[in-house]
Amino acid sequence: MAYQLTFFCRSDEENGQAAISRLLDELLPAGDLLLTERPGPFVDEVAVCSLATRGPAGDPVADRLTLEVHVGVAWVAESVIAASLGDEQGIWGCDLLATFTLSGDAPDWSLVNRIWTALVRLWSATPWDEMSGFKVAKSMPQIEAVRTSPRIRWGWLLQGASAEAQLIPAGADAPGRLAGSSVGRAGAPR
């Protein structure tokens, strides 16, 4: 099973590679070393990166996640309209769509936290997923804490076996299992 979390951003980045490089630069000082793989090349507007937190022996400490970035209003317009037809969330005009996909039995929740924090810090990202829509934003750290503390200790886990996931605080007594989800094409909310 896979879970996708999408972020609508205003970035003014020139292309996908520049955006993903800037995001990686933001992630590196905020925690453990990362293992990265960059497949491609793709068109200028798209960049993809596979990421995992590196353990002491150089191996991933959890399953890798895939980060996909689309840059340019024309490249993200369909996803923006599908997620917020009436622009209730104020995302129209976004020029960057960042989506990460978690799969496997051991998601890297620490890395999820780092990416979420970096996206909000860099580009005032608005999160969305197909299970909760924009309500998933209620799970993110307070903006003030994100801006003042690069090492914020916040996280969340998805729990349950149905399409309705429950967001619970990291460290709570619960298994870190992903809820079922039907996933459309990468980066496209339905």
Side-chain angles (χ1 to χ4, degrees):
M1 287 188 209
Y3 171 73
Q4 287 188 322
L5 186 58
T6 299
F7 294 84
F8 297 95
C9 311
R10 287 187 172 80
S11 71
D12 292 326
E13 296 292 338
E14 289 187 31
N15 58 53
Q17 287 300 325
I20 215 160
S21 291
R22 185 165 177 210
L23 180 59
L24 290 174
D25 287 346
E26 184 76 16
L27 289 174
L28 289 176
D32 295 327
L33 293 177
L34 297 175
L35 298 170
T36 63
E37 292 178 15
R38 288 192 185 187
F42 298 97
V43 295
D44 284 347
E45 294 83 3
V46 178
V48 177
C49 186
S50 172
L51 297 168
T53 303
R54 180 181 170 191
D59 297 326
V61 298
D63 292 329
R64 289 182 176 269
L65 62 83
T66 302
L67 176 64
E68 185 174 336
V69 175
H70 295 246
V71 174
V73 174
W75 282 85
V76 304
E78 183 180 320
S79 297
V80 168
I81 292 168
S84 184
L85 186 60
D87 195 27
E88 296 85 8
Q89 304 300 319
I91 62 170
W92 284 29
C94 288
D95 65 348
L96 187 143
L97 184 75
T99 301
F100 60 81
T101 304
L102 297 161
S103 60
D105 295 327
D108 194 339
W109 295 110
S110 175
L111 185 53
V112 167
N113 176 44
R114 288 170 65 188
I115 294 170
W116 189 325
T117 302
L119 288 166
V120 170
R121 186 178 311 131
L122 283 173
W123 301 310
S124 301
T126 301
W128 182 93
D129 76 8
E130 64 181 31
M131 290 185 284
S132 305
F134 290 104
K135 291 179 183 173
V136 73
K138 293 178 181 176
S139 303
M140 74 183 200
Q142 294 180 2
I143 299 300
E144 295 77 23
V146 171
R147 290 190 178 143
T148 60
S149 175
R151 291 183 171 260
I152 187 168
R153 299 207 181 273
W154 170 90
W156 52 268
L157 301 173
L158 287 170
Q159 174 185 348
S162 69
E164 291 297 318
Q166 296 177 344
L167 296 174
I168 58 174
D173 186 22
R177 302 184 61 164
L178 292 174
S181 171
S182 63
V183 177
R185 72 176 172 77
R190 291 198 261 174

